[in-house]
Amino acid sequence: MKLRHNFKNLMVWNKAVDMAVKVYQITSKFPNEEKFGMTSQMRRSSVSIPSNIAEGTARNSSKAFTNSLDISLGESFELETQTIIARRVGLLTQDDFESINHDIDEIQKMIIGFKSTVEQNPY
């Protein structure tokens, strides 16, 4: 039996899309000189998280799907690192930092849980 997930129905995908939108909104306040620096990096990482989840749903095996989830998880840690740097250099307010990192933490837990479910129920 082939199990395909409609990524738009996945809670983790929806949460990650919402976070990417939040990252876009917050980074729009960054200085123009950060357009090709931290703004670009944080946006790319945040968009990559739900994108890789969606891509994984099209894969033909559980192993390929979990690989895509691993990539999403890695991107979430990349974004987390970028928020720490952005906070330390004064680009993020403490409130924005806490808000994004709360979302990141939640998404990381969701990805890990989802990956475990896929691994336990291969297709």
Side-chain angles (χ1 to χ4, degrees), residues 14-101:
N14 280 286
K15 182 87 174 152
V17 167
D18 290 345
M19 184 185 63
V21 170
K22 184 187 287 187
V23 167
Y24 265 77
Q25 292 167 340
I26 289 171
T27 57
S28 71
K29 301 179 226 169
F30 285 8
N32 281 339
E33 63 263 19
E34 285 299 328
K35 183 177 180 180
F36 300 107
M38 193 59 77
T39 301
S40 175
Q41 287 291 318
M42 288 179 67
R43 288 178 175 185
R44 185 196 57 76
S45 295
S46 69
V47 168
S48 187
I49 297 166
S51 297
N52 279 290
I53 293 168
E55 181 182 340
T57 64
R59 299 295 181 198
N60 291 323
S61 71
S62 298
K63 185 175 180 180
F65 190 10
T66 58
N67 185 57
S68 290
L69 293 174
D70 277 336
I71 294 168
S72 285
L73 188 60
E75 290 291 340
S76 74
F77 283 102
E78 185 176 325
L79 178 61
E80 186 174 8
T81 299
Q82 292 159 356
T83 64
I84 291 166
I85 295 167
R87 177 67 190 126
R88 287 188 183 181
V89 299
L91 294 171
L92 279 178
T93 66
Q94 186 63 30
D95 287 345
D96 286 342
F97 173 78
E98 288 174 7
S99 177
I100 293 173
N101 277 281

Side-chain angles (χ1 to χ4, degrees), residues 3-19:
L3 174 64
R4 294 288 178 128
H5 298 277
N6 180 343
F7 65 88
K8 292 176 267 180
N9 292 333
L10 295 172
M11 193 182 306
V12 65
W13 179 84
N14 280 286
K15 182 87 174 152
V17 167
D18 290 345
M19 184 185 63

